[in-house]
Amino acid sequence: TITFDVPSRGEVTSPLQLQIYDAAGNLVKMLIDGTVEAGFHSIVWNGEDDNCNSVNSGIYFCKMKAGNYSDVKQLILLK
């Protein structure tokens, strides 16, 4: 489960991208690509890629981009 907060900044919605990458930098899964409402959110990544194939256990990276803000967090997937 990935949790994040989208600050208001006077707007009700904000464009957001939330992506999962493998250790080699390849895009594995696009979780969100659109607008979200301001506030706290959580999304569950089920360990599948964009083609609904199960990925291997290992280290992955979650990249969040919203406007000028960008952040990357490390994830460990254990099966």
Side-chain angles (χ1 to χ4, degrees), residues 1-4 18-23 26-32 42-63 73-79:
T1 301
I2 300 164
T3 59
F4 57 95
L18 192 65
Q19 305 160 319
I20 304 293
Y21 289 87
D22 63 16
N26 300 310
L27 178 63
V28 173
K29 180 79 172 179
M30 175 73 76
L31 295 175
I32 299 174
S42 66
I43 188 166
V44 175
W45 176 44
N46 60 1
E48 292 181 347
D49 64 14
D50 278 331
N51 297 318
C52 299
N53 299 315
S54 183
V55 298
N56 295 326
S57 295
I59 296 174
Y60 293 86
F61 298 91
C62 179
K63 180 179 180 182
K73 299 291 183 188
Q74 183 175 328
L75 307 174
I76 298 175
L77 177 64
L78 297 175
K79 294 185 179 184

